[in-house]
Amino acid sequence: MEEKQFGGYFTPETMHVDPMIRERQPEEKIAPLRVHLKNQTSASPSMTVEQLFEKAQDGSRERGRNVLLYGAVGTGKSTVVRKLVLDWCAGSTLTQFKLLVPFSCEDLGQLTKSTSLRDLVSKKYLHLKKIPLLSGEGDQAKDVLFLFNGMEKMNLDFRIGSTELCSDPNEALSSGAVVVNLLRKYMLPEASVLVTTRLSAVDRIPKKYVSCYAQICGFNDPERQWSYFASRLLPQSPETARCREAQALIQLLYLNLQRQSQLSRACYLPSYCWLTCATLHFLQFTDAQAPIRTLTGIYTSFLRLNFGGEVLAAGAGAALQQDQPDSLMLYVVRTVGKLAFDGVTGKRTAFSEAELEQWVGGKTKTDEELHQLAVFRTDVLSFFLVPQVNGARGPQAGWAGAGAGAGAEAEGRRYVFAVPAMQEYLAALYVVMGENKSALEKLTKQVTLVIGQAGEDITSLVAILSKFIPLRIFAVFNLLRLFPSLYERVSSRTKGRIAQTMAAEMFRSEDSYNEDVLDQVEQSLLGVHGPQPQQQLDRQAFELYPIFMGGLLHYENRMLLQQLGCSIKSATVSQITRALRKYLVREMGKQQPPEELMDLLVLLYEFQNPRLTAEVLSSIKTIRLSNVRMSPLKCFVLSSVLSCAPAQYHLEELDLSSCHVTHDLLDMLWPAFRHTHNLNLQFNNLGPESCVLLKDLLLDPNCSIKSLQLCDNPLLESGASSLLEALPGNHSLSRLSLMHTGLGDQGALELADRLHRHTGLRELNVAYNNIGDNAALALVDACREHPSVHTVHLYLNPLSDVGKQSLYVRGVPSDQGGTGAVTGTGRRVKVLASVTEGSDISEDWHPILNIIRKNASLWERERVRQQLQVFLRDLEWGRQQQVSFWKRLHFRKVEKGVRQTLRMLEKDISPTRSAK
C-alpha cells in the first residue's frame, strides 16, 4: 500500500534496488551497521541471497544450510524477502530449490494452538497439503527452503528442557518448537532455512546452528541511492515533461547528498530513502486525480512500515509477563518523543549523550527493564538518532557550530535526528497523545484510577456501615467521588492547552518571514542553492511541529497509530478541535504575511476536517499569497481547503501575483477561483493556452469573479482573443486588467469590436501593450458607446502627442472642468494615457507613477525610461502654459516624482519607496 505514494504504475520489478549484503564472521556479527559503513573494503564484496546458498553445493547435501540474514531497522530485510519470493516464483533465482515456504514470524508468534509442520504449511498454503517434499521420507527435503522473516518477533528457546526434540513433521508442536527443530536439523535435516532478524536478536540462535551469517548494509554507495530515487520518482514514459522535471529533481537531491553528509547518512537506510522519495513525490507531483495524501500520513505510514504492531519483548526465551505489553511505538513516544519535545521547546536539534541517557531509560531499575532498554538502544534508538556529522550544513549544524572545537569535544559526541522533520513529528505525537502531563493531571489520574477500581467496594461498604456510623462521616466518602470529575476538568484544560500550543506555534512572530513550511521541507531535502539568509543560520524554526499536531488528529492517521499501539481517543480530538477553532479564528482576524497564511492552509489541509475548515474560512475575507512559489501541492492545498467552504462563501480577494502559476496549475486552482470576487494573477507564466481555461472559468454559471488581473502575462493577441470570447456569456466581471500582456493594435481592435457584448464591464486596463493612436482611439470610442465602462488605462503605450490630445478630447476631464466629449447617453469615459491631460495635470498621475514604480524592475527598462522622459517633456510643456503660480508649483511636484522614479530606475534600486 505504501508504494501507492508514487502512483499506480509501478511494480516490484521496476522499483526494487538490491541493498548491499555482506557475509560476516560470527565474532563480528553484531557490529553496528554504521561501523561497517565506515570500514568497508573491497575484500568483502556485496553478495546476493542466492550466493549465500551456493556454498552448500561444494560438498554433500546431507544437511541443509541455515543462513541468518540480519540488519538494523530500515535496511530492507522484508523488502529483500518479498523480492526473493517473487524471483523464485519467476524462476530467476534459487532454482536449486523446488519448494520455497515463506513464513512471517509475527504471525507464527501469535499462534496458541499446537500444530504440526505439515499442518502449519497447509493452513497457509492449501495446495501444499499433501506434498511429498515435506513428508520426511528419504532426502526429498533437500529441495526445500524455509524462510522465516522477522525472527525477533518470536520467542525461540533452544534449551532441551523447554523445547523437546522432534523429528516428525506430522507431530503437533508449538510454532516456536517447530522452528527450533528445523534450525537444530532434527526435523527435515536436509532442508535449508533462511532467517531474517534484527541486530538485538542475532544471539537467540546458538552459533552451532548457523551455517552462515550475513548482514544487510543498506545503500552504502551513491549508485544504489541514485537507482532507488530513479525507480520511484521517474515515470515510465521517458520523453515527457514530467520525466524531465523528475530528472532535474533527482539531480538536485543527488548533489545535496554529496554536499550534506547528514542527509546522506540517513539515506544509507532504504527506509529513509523511501521517506525522502515519498516526501518529494508529495511535494512535487501531487495532482488533483491522485488520492488525498498528507505529509503527516507519509510519516505515519513510514513508522508503520518499520514498527507496525510491535511490542516490547521481555527477553529471549521468556514469555511476556504482562497481559497487555506496551507497544514499541508507545515506548518510542515516551522516550524519544520526550527528547524531541524538549528539543523543540528549547529550539535545539542536537543532543548530548547525557540527555539521551536522561530521557531514554534513565529510570530503569529491574533486569527486565534493562534488557528491554538494551534491545531498544540496539534496534530502535540508532534508527531515529545518529551522531552529528562535523561540518554538516544547514540549521541543524548551526546550533552546535558556536561550540565546535575543544568545548564540543569535552561535552562528548552529539546526536541529531536522522531526518530533521522526524523530531517535529515525534514531538507533536508526544503532545497530542497527552504524554506532556502536568503534575496535577498525573496525580488526579492516578487517584481516579484507584477510586474507579474500588468504586463498587466502597459503595457496598457504605451500605453496610450506614447502619452503625453517623451520617456525617459519609461526607468523606462523597468527597472521593469528586476525583473523577476533577480529573475530567484538568484533562479538558490540558486539551485546550494543546490547541493553544498549536495556535501559538503557528503564528510565532519571529517566524513570520521565513519560507513557507512546504518550501522548508523541500529545502531540507534538496538543499538551499546560493547563500542562506543569516536568520536561518542563527536559529532553528520548528514550523512543521504544529502542522504535524493537526495532522495527527485526522481519522486515518489515528487509525494507523492505533495499529502501532498509540491510541488517540475521539473525545480528545473533539476537545482539541473546539479549542483550536477559537484560537485560529482569533488569529485570522489579524493581517498575516503570505508565508504564514500558506502555513495555515497547510495546517487545515493536514487536519482534513471540513467542518473546522469551513468555520475558520468564515473569518477570512482575503487570501494574499503574493510571492509564494506555488507548486502543484500548494495549488491542491488551496483548492482543497476552499472546497470545504459552503457554496455561498466568497473571498473578497485572492492574490496569486508573482506566484509562478503556470497553465498546468490553473486547472488545479479551479475550485479556489469559484469562491473569489477579485482574482489577481499578474506576474505569472500564463500564456495563450491559459486563456482557454480562463474563458471556461468566466463562462461557468457559478462564476463570481468581479475583477480579473492578468497583468504581465504573455497572453499575446491569440490569448486575448480566446479570453474575449467569454464576454458575451459572463455576467459578473466588472474590471479587467490586461496591462503588459502583448495585445498590440490587433488585440486592442478586437477588444473594441467585442466590448459591447459584455454590458457589466466598468474598468479596462490595457496599458503598456504597444497600442498605437488608431487602435487606442477605436477602443476609447467603443468604451464611450458602452453602457458602463467609465475608465480606460492606456499609459506606457507609444501614443503621439496628437493621439493623446485626441484621447483627452474624447475622454474625461478632471472634476474641476475641461473640454471632454460627452457620449450620446450623457456618459463620460476617463482615459488614463499620461500624467497630463492637455495642458493640465491628470488627477490620476499618482496611481500611474505608483504602478510604474512597482513594476519597473520587471519591465523592459529602456522602454520605461523613454516613457518617463516623455512624461517629463509633457510636464515641462504644460508648466510653461500655466499662469498661476500654484499650478506651476503643482507641475513641479509631479515632475519631481517622475524624476525620482527615473533615477531609481537608472540606479537599479528596488522600487519599494514611493514619493508622497
Side-chain angles (χ1 to χ4, degrees):
M1 185 185 75
E2 283 73 16
E3 299 301 351
K4 292 182 179 180
Q5 300 280 349
F6 309 103
Y9 45 82
F10 294 99
T11 63
E13 290 76 15
T14 60
M15 300 186 74
H16 181 76
V17 177
D18 289 319
M20 179 164 288
I21 300 176
R22 296 186 183 276
E23 186 174 2
R24 300 299 183 192
Q25 299 301 319
E27 60 272 10
E28 61 176 355
K29 63 181 182 300
I30 59 172
L33 169 67
R34 303 186 191 279
V35 173
H36 289 300
L37 291 175
K38 294 179 181 179
N39 302 309
Q40 288 165 357
T41 63
S42 57
S44 180
S46 178
M47 304 181 68
T48 64
V49 176
E50 186 174 21
Q51 290 173 329
L52 297 176
F53 285 95
E54 285 178 353
K55 293 186 177 182
Q57 305 293 330
D58 54 9
S60 64
R61 292 196 53 188
E62 294 180 359
R63 282 179 171 267
R65 189 170 176 83
N66 290 347
V67 174
L68 181 59
L69 183 63
Y70 66 94
V73 177
T75 49
K77 299 181 295 297
S78 297
T79 304
V80 167
V81 166
R82 285 196 297 267
K83 186 62 167 56
L84 180 68
V85 173
L86 290 174
D87 289 345
W88 178 84
C89 293
S92 59
T93 189
L94 295 174
T95 55
Q96 68 268 32
F97 297 108
K98 297 179 181 179
L99 177 64
L100 189 151
V101 186
F103 283 105
S104 166
C105 290
E106 183 177 6
D107 295 340
L108 294 179
Q110 294 176 354
L111 296 178
T112 56
K113 185 178 179 181
S114 297
T115 183
S116 66
L117 172 62
R118 301 199 69 175
D119 290 340
L120 201 62
V121 173
S122 62
K123 184 181 295 186
K124 188 170 185 179
Y125 309 101
L126 184 60
H127 61 287
L128 300 179
K129 186 172 183 179
K130 296 182 180 181
I131 190 168
L133 294 176
L134 301 178
S135 64
E137 299 176 359
D139 62 349
Q140 296 183 86
K142 70 179 186 300
D143 298 323
V144 179
L145 172 63
F146 289 97
L147 196 161
F148 297 100
N149 184 37
M151 187 265 291
E152 72 278 355
K153 299 175 184 178
M154 288 188 71
N155 291 314
L156 301 183
D157 194 340
F158 284 81
R159 294 174 298 179
I160 300 294
S162 300
T163 304
E164 62 185 68
L165 298 175
C166 179
S167 60
D168 185 2
N170 297 299
E171 183 176 342
L173 301 169
S174 66
S175 58
V178 171
V179 176
V180 167
N181 281 291
L182 283 172
L183 291 171
R184 285 171 171 167
K185 295 305 175 188
Y186 205 79
M187 182 183 296
L188 300 183
E190 300 86 5
S192 295
V193 181
L194 173 62
V195 177
T196 68
T197 188
R198 292 181 182 169
L199 294 173
S200 62
V202 171
D203 285 333
R204 292 190 187 180
I205 303 178
K207 296 179 183 179
K208 61 181 178 179
Y209 298 131
V210 179
S211 308
C212 173
Y213 290 96
Q215 183 181 21
I216 298 184
C217 300
F219 299 149
N220 68 326
D221 57 280
E223 288 73 19
R224 294 177 193 268
Q225 295 175 2
W226 176 278
S227 299
Y228 188 94
F229 298 143
S231 68
R232 276 156 175 75
L233 296 177
L234 287 179
Q236 299 297 305
S237 303
E239 300 299 330
T240 61
R242 158 75 186 278
C243 183
R244 292 189 292 271
E245 184 179 353
Q247 288 174 341
L249 187 70
I250 294 173
Q251 185 66 30
L252 289 175
L253 177 59
Y254 186 71
L255 290 175
N256 194 41
L257 289 175
Q258 292 180 321
R259 180 174 61 249
Q260 185 177 349
S261 54
Q262 199 68 63
L263 178 62
S264 61
R265 172 170 290 197
C267 285
Y268 282 138
L269 296 179
S271 284
Y272 278 111
C273 287
W274 180 92
L275 180 62
T276 300
C277 290
T279 304
L280 284 177
H281 193 278
F282 173 69
L283 293 174
Q284 297 291 333
F285 303 121
T286 294
D287 59 74
Q289 286 72 38
I292 295 291
R293 292 171 302 184
T294 63
L295 189 63
T296 313
I298 290 175
Y299 274 75
T300 307
S301 296
F302 170 75
L303 293 179
R304 190 186 67 168
L305 274 173
N306 293 281
F307 303 104
E310 294 187 48
V311 297
L312 280 175
L320 289 174
Q321 301 298 322
Q322 310 173 64
D323 294 333
Q324 295 181 342
D326 282 340
S327 150
L328 178 60
M329 196 62 225
L330 183 59
Y331 190 76
V332 170
V333 172
R334 291 172 176 171
T335 54
V336 184
K338 172 61 177 174
L339 181 71
F341 174 76
D342 185 66
V344 169
T345 53
K347 300 299 179 184
R348 300 180 299 129
T349 59
F351 307 92
S352 66
E353 292 186 356
E355 288 173 310
L356 263 64
E357 181 65 28
Q358 176 185 359
W359 298 122
V360 183
K363 297 181 180 180
T364 56
K365 296 179 181 179
T366 66
D367 290 341
E368 180 179 308
E369 289 175 338
L370 289 174
H371 179 81
Q372 290 178 352
L373 178 61
V375 172
F376 181 80
R377 285 182 175 274
T378 302
D379 287 342
V380 181
L381 190 60
S382 60
F383 178 78
F384 290 105
L385 292 162
V386 297
Q388 186 178 32
V389 176
N390 294 329
R393 296 182 60 184
Q396 62 189 23
W399 182 82
E409 300 216 359
E411 294 182 1
R413 175 177 290 179
R414 311 197 74 85
Y415 295 85
V416 297
F417 282 82
V419 173
M422 185 58 72
Q423 177 180 353
E424 299 179 71
Y425 178 91
L426 291 177
L429 186 56
Y430 177 80
V431 173
V432 170
M433 289 193 62
E435 294 298 327
N436 187 32
K437 296 184 180 72
S438 62
L440 175 61
E441 187 176 6
K442 292 178 181 178
L443 176 63
T444 53
K445 182 176 182 180
Q446 292 173 357
V447 174
T448 299
L449 290 175
V450 172
I451 293 177
Q453 294 171 356
E456 295 182 0
D457 296 335
I458 292 177
T459 302
S460 302
L461 181 63
V462 168
I464 296 172
L465 296 180
S466 61
K467 300 182 181 295
F468 309 100
I469 301 178
L471 295 177
R472 292 182 181 180
I473 299 179
F474 291 103
V476 177
F477 296 102
N478 291 330
L479 287 175
L480 295 177
R481 298 178 183 178
L482 294 178
F483 275 97
S485 59
L486 175 62
Y487 172 69
E488 289 297 329
R489 291 185 180 182
V490 175
S491 178
S492 178
R493 294 190 63 180
T494 301
K495 307 303 184 296
R497 191 168 62 248
I498 292 175
Q500 184 178 11
T501 300
M502 293 173 63
E505 292 292 335
M506 274 296 302
F507 302 103
R508 295 180 67 91
S509 58
E510 60 266 32
D511 298 335
S512 296
Y513 297 98
N514 290 347
E515 298 283 346
D516 65 82
V517 67
L518 294 179
D519 279 352
Q520 292 181 37
V521 175
E522 181 179 312
Q523 289 172 6
S524 70
L525 299 177
L526 302 181
V528 178
H529 300 275
Q532 296 186 41
Q534 186 61 36
Q535 65 268 22
Q536 293 188 10
L537 296 175
D538 292 342
R539 60 181 176 83
Q540 173 70 37
F542 293 96
E543 297 187 70
L544 264 179
Y545 169 53
I547 291 175
F548 277 141
M549 291 174 68
L552 288 168
L553 300 178
H554 175 38
Y555 176 79
E556 290 186 4
N557 290 327
R558 288 191 288 121
M559 292 301 100
L560 290 177
L561 288 171
Q562 191 168 358
Q563 297 176 22
L564 291 168
C566 300
S567 178
I568 302 175
K569 297 181 180 179
S570 298
T572 300
V573 176
S574 178
Q575 291 174 347
I576 295 176
T577 302
R578 284 198 302 268
L580 180 63
R581 182 189 304 115
K582 177 182 66 176
Y583 289 114
L584 290 181
V585 170
R586 185 182 65 187
E587 290 294 334
M588 289 316 300
K590 308 172 185 177
Q591 184 69 28
Q592 300 293 339
E595 292 79 10
E596 290 294 300
L597 194 55
M598 188 71 238
D599 291 349
L600 172 67
L601 295 174
V602 174
L603 171 65
L604 294 175
Y605 173 78
E606 291 282 328
F607 212 133
Q608 291 289 303
N609 187 323
R611 183 176 178 180
L612 171 67
T613 300
E615 293 178 352
V616 174
L617 285 176
S618 65
S619 64
I620 301 177
K621 298 303 179 184
T622 62
I623 293 181
R624 296 188 177 97
L625 299 176
S626 179
N627 295 310
V628 173
R629 183 181 62 86
M630 296 300 288
S631 63
L633 174 60
K634 294 176 189 177
C635 293
F636 186 71
V637 166
L638 176 60
S639 295
S640 298
V641 169
L642 288 179
S643 295
C644 297
Q648 65 271 19
Y649 170 79
H650 289 95
L651 289 169
E652 287 301 320
E653 180 185 5
L654 176 58
D655 185 357
L656 295 176
S657 59
S658 303
C659 288
H660 303 274
V661 177
T662 63
H663 170 72
D664 295 332
L665 299 181
L666 277 183
D667 192 41
M668 300 183 70
L669 290 167
W670 185 287
F673 293 160
R674 296 179 62 179
H675 289 277
T676 303
H677 285 322
N678 300 310
L679 178 59
N680 188 346
L681 290 173
Q682 62 183 8
F683 290 107
N684 284 296
N685 301 313
L686 305 178
E689 68 280 0
S690 302
C691 292
V692 178
L693 288 174
L694 293 173
K695 178 191 72 173
D696 295 338
L697 174 66
L698 293 175
L699 290 175
D700 190 299
N702 297 319
C703 177
S704 62
I705 295 177
K706 298 178 180 179
S707 173
L708 178 59
Q709 299 183 55
L710 296 172
C711 313
D712 295 277
N713 287 289
L715 305 181
L716 306 180
E717 296 177 7
S718 58
S721 177
S722 299
L723 187 65
L724 295 177
E725 294 177 5
L727 292 182
N730 178 268
H731 303 287
S732 63
L733 192 64
S734 62
R735 182 172 182 266
L736 178 62
S737 179
L738 299 174
M739 180 174 64
H740 197 209
T741 55
L743 287 181
D745 286 344
Q746 189 62 37
L749 291 173
E750 186 171 357
L751 177 59
D753 182 59
R754 299 191 182 191
L755 195 60
H756 68 280
R757 301 181 184 179
H758 189 283
T759 57
L761 201 62
R762 299 175 60 85
E763 184 175 355
L764 182 63
N765 189 341
V766 290
Y768 197 3
N769 269 301
N770 202 29
I771 298 175
D773 292 350
N774 295 333
L777 290 171
L779 182 59
V780 171
D781 286 342
C783 291
R784 290 176 55 201
E785 297 173 0
H786 194 276
S788 60
V789 173
H790 60 71
T791 304
V792 182
H793 299 252
L794 282 166
Y795 43 87
L796 295 181
N797 282 303
L799 303 173
S800 64
D801 293 339
V802 175
K804 284 187 286 187
Q805 184 64 26
S806 299
L807 292 174
Y808 168 67
V809 171
R810 301 188 190 192
V812 178
S814 63
D815 293 339
Q816 279 70 30
T819 58
V822 180
T823 67
T825 60
R827 292 186 57 259
R828 296 172 182 262
V829 178
K830 182 187 295 185
V831 180
L832 306 181
S834 177
V835 293
T836 60
E837 294 177 349
S839 60
D840 292 327
I841 293 178
S842 170
E843 62 181 8
D844 297 296
W845 69 270
H846 199 274
I848 293 175
L849 281 186
N850 277 342
I851 291 175
I852 295 176
R853 290 190 187 102
K854 183 179 179 181
N855 303 315
S857 63
L858 303 173
W859 288 344
E860 184 182 347
R861 295 179 181 273
E862 184 60 25
R863 174 75 177 275
V864 176
R865 188 183 65 81
Q866 291 176 2
Q867 187 63 50
L868 290 174
Q869 290 176 343
V870 171
F871 284 174
L872 288 176
R873 188 185 65 205
D874 293 344
L875 287 168
E876 185 177 356
W877 178 84
R879 177 166 48 84
Q880 293 173 355
Q881 308 304 313
Q882 303 300 322
V883 178
S884 169
F885 170 77
W886 299 110
K887 284 191 175 182
R888 296 179 70 177
L889 187 63
H890 192 196
F891 270 88
R892 292 284 189 185
K893 177 183 178 182
V894 178
E895 187 177 345
K896 179 180 178 182
V898 175
R899 292 187 185 278
Q900 182 180 359
T901 304
L902 187 60
R903 288 195 301 270
M904 182 176 58
L905 182 67
E906 292 175 346
K907 293 180 180 180
D908 197 23
I909 299 178
S910 177
T912 56
R913 295 173 297 176
S914 60
K916 298 291 185 182

